[in-house]
Amino acid sequence: LTPIGVARRVEPEPGWYVDTAVLSLGGFALVAIVAGVAAAAAARLARGPAVGPQRRRSLRVLYRSVPGAVGFRFATDPGRGKRAVPVRSAIAGVALGVAGVIAVGAVAASVQRVVGDPSRYGYSWAFTVSDGVDNTQDADPVDAASDRARQIAADPDVDAVSLLWLGFRTDVAGHTVSAFARHAYQGVRGFVIVHGRAPTAAGEVALGAKTLERAGLGLGDSVDVDGVAMRVVGQSLFPATDDGYELADGVLFAEDDFRKLDLAHRSGTQGFTTFGVWLKPGADLAAVAERMRPLTDDGDVTFARPPVEVDQLRQLDDLPPVLAAFLLLVALLAVGHALVLTVRRRASDLAVLRALGCTPAQVQRAVAWQATTLAAIGVAVGIPLGLLLGRAVWAAVARGYGFADDPVWPWLAVALALPVTVLLANAGAWFPGRRAARIRPSAALRAE
């Protein structure tokens, strides 16, 4: 099943592989941990029982029947000795399973938002239109492109038009990165700013997350840009160009600084200029693009192109549902294990219930109530834990790629967590419940 994405295509030795060193070390660690826990439990038992009975307040008021009260007690009282049942482990298993599903849902939804929203990976404009500027010949590209800019802005569905300088070269803190800037003909729209603000005054720049991390900088710090000290006022994202640079590795200038450094006219530059076009809400993208074709040099407009980073995230599409299903299976196994042990180790308690007049159906419902209680408590703990975990995981992924780190909350998964988990837990309780209903009181209580 692994590796996935690009790594699968370049895997030199596909197929099964067993790492004996890792498995040996993991097995040794597992034995050591279990032995340590067992030693601690043995030491606690050696000290004898606690003084005085432990009184527990239960929520029996929530259960208006004998099966409900018994099921709640079984789910919240781990018991002692031979009657001990790992209810805490079952609750922890459900909580971790639900938390995993919620976290996976948050990360998957956040990834889908990035893949489906070009502004999340640097394209704040709807499309670009060629400007007809020759950077090697035209001394002032703003003036050279002004007539075409007015024609584009005259379209009733166009909200803003800017001349974009994309992918030119400069040095930031000793490293060569792509440089970007814009000149607004209409409107005030510009590049995507993740944190802080866009540079507007002389001596201000916005850097990509990778650039900031490599230079050890933050907002408000001073940085050497092409031999000039400038202040970092924002963190920006940059659209994919043919230079192969990362979308979060670059520098955004204010127009005056970009033109003052004359980056567009340096020999060997790989950058280019083009028009960025923003549309009004509700505009027909295809229709406006068709109207723009006569204004271009090659009869075409250019739409957003996902960068390599987005392609990498897109290759994870199959992983979230598989991981969520695995975590949910772990949760159900934890509940099932607790239910099976309850029926086995507390057979005498169930037999007493039968002797006192409970029917087999009531005993089976008690096991179902136990499963319901375990699931409900686990979900109550797992949902907030999953939201926190999903927020933390997505923040780490977003920071690594340079995206905005605000997650998409999987509210549908949150809403369905309780009913689905309870339903599956009760489905898993059917077999233990049937076994409990068939307990013969005389046989179970003979030893008593």
Side-chain angles (χ1 to χ4, degrees):
L1 299 178
T2 60
I4 61 176
V6 176
R8 181 185 291 276
R9 296 198 293 268
V10 300
E11 169 64 38
E13 297 180 5
W16 290 93
Y17 174 73
V18 177
D19 193 324
T20 55
V22 171
L23 292 177
S24 299
L25 181 61
F28 176 79
L30 182 62
V31 170
I33 292 173
V34 172
V37 173
R44 182 178 179 183
L45 287 175
R47 291 196 297 268
V51 178
Q54 292 186 351
R55 299 186 178 274
R56 297 177 178 270
R57 290 186 178 181
S58 68
L59 300 179
R60 291 192 184 92
V61 68
L62 298 179
Y63 304 95
R64 299 296 185 181
S65 64
V66 171
V70 172
F72 180 83
R73 179 62 180 271
F74 281 173
T76 56
D77 185 3
R80 290 175 174 272
K82 295 181 179 180
R83 298 178 65 256
V85 176
V87 294
R88 296 189 185 95
S89 299
I91 293 173
V94 174
L96 291 177
V98 171
V101 171
I102 298 296
V104 167
V107 174
S110 300
V111 168
Q112 289 301 317
R113 179 177 61 177
V114 170
V115 172
D117 184 0
S119 68
R120 290 275 166 175
Y121 50 85
Y123 287 86
S124 63
W125 46 86
F127 53 79
T128 59
V129 176
S130 59
D131 55 11
V133 173
D134 186 346
N135 288 296
T136 62
Q137 301 294 329
D138 297 322
D140 191 340
V142 173
D143 290 340
S146 60
D147 289 341
R148 187 172 296 184
R150 283 194 293 270
Q151 291 177 299
I152 295 173
D155 191 287
D157 287 327
V158 171
D159 183 54
V161 181
S162 289
L163 181 68
L164 307 175
W165 286 275
L166 304 176
F168 293 90
R169 295 288 189 270
T170 191
D171 291 331
V172 175
H175 293 272
T176 300
V177 300
S178 295
F180 302 83
R182 72 177 179 92
H183 171 80
Y185 291 100
Q186 175 178 306
V188 293
R189 309 285 286 276
F191 289 83
V192 176
I193 301 298
V194 178
H195 298 294
R197 60 176 177 83
T200 55
E204 295 181 343
V205 292
L207 302 180
K210 296 286 188 181
T211 316
L212 289 168
E213 181 181 5
R214 183 173 56 238
L217 299 172
L219 300 188
D221 292 341
S222 178
V223 60
D224 182 279
V225 180
D226 209 45
V228 179
M230 295 188 174
R231 188 166 68 92
V232 181
V233 297
Q235 176 187 326
S236 185
L237 274 175
F238 309 106
T241 61
D242 294 331
D243 59 15
Y245 277 67
E246 296 176 283
L247 61 86
D249 192 11
V251 54
L252 175 62
F253 290 97
E255 179 186 355
D256 291 343
D257 281 336
F258 184 89
R259 302 181 69 174
K260 181 178 179 181
L261 293 173
D262 200 27
L263 299 179
H265 294 97
R266 291 185 179 180
S267 61
T269 183
Q270 298 181 22
F272 62 97
T273 56
T274 188
F275 288 119
V277 181
W278 289 261
L279 303 184
K280 295 178 180 178
D284 188 332
L285 176 62
V288 178
E290 189 64 29
R291 294 198 295 268
M292 293 295 121
R293 295 185 191 281
L295 304 178
T296 65
D297 293 331
D298 52 9
D300 198 6
V301 298
T302 304
F303 296 95
R305 182 180 65 183
V308 175
E309 292 86 346
V310 172
D311 285 336
Q312 291 173 349
L313 289 176
R314 185 181 294 161
Q315 291 166 6
L316 299 177
D317 285 347
D318 295 335
L319 183 60
V322 174
L323 182 57
F326 171 75
L327 294 172
L328 190 59
L329 177 62
V330 170
L332 295 178
L333 288 176
V335 173
H337 180 247
L339 297 178
V340 170
L341 288 183
T342 296
V343 175
R344 178 184 300 175
R345 296 181 178 180
R346 297 183 177 177
S348 60
D349 293 344
L350 298 173
V352 169
L353 291 175
R354 290 292 310 281
L356 292 177
C358 285
T359 64
Q362 288 178 311
V363 172
Q364 186 171 359
R365 286 201 299 271
V367 176
W369 272 111
Q370 180 185 4
T372 300
T373 304
L374 291 173
I377 297 175
V379 169
V381 176
I383 287 178
L385 182 62
L387 293 175
L388 292 175
L389 183 60
R391 175 71 177 88
V393 171
W394 174 244
V397 172
R399 284 195 297 268
Y401 284 106
F403 303 129
D405 60 1
D406 53 318
V408 176
W409 299 119
W411 297 122
L412 179 60
V414 172
L416 294 178
L418 180 59
V420 170
T421 305
V422 169
L423 179 63
L424 294 176
N426 276 269
W430 181 84
F431 178 76
R434 291 287 294 176
R435 185 176 177 182
R438 294 173 180 173
I439 291 177
R440 297 175 58 188
S442 59
L445 296 176
R446 184 175 302 155
E448 303 292 335

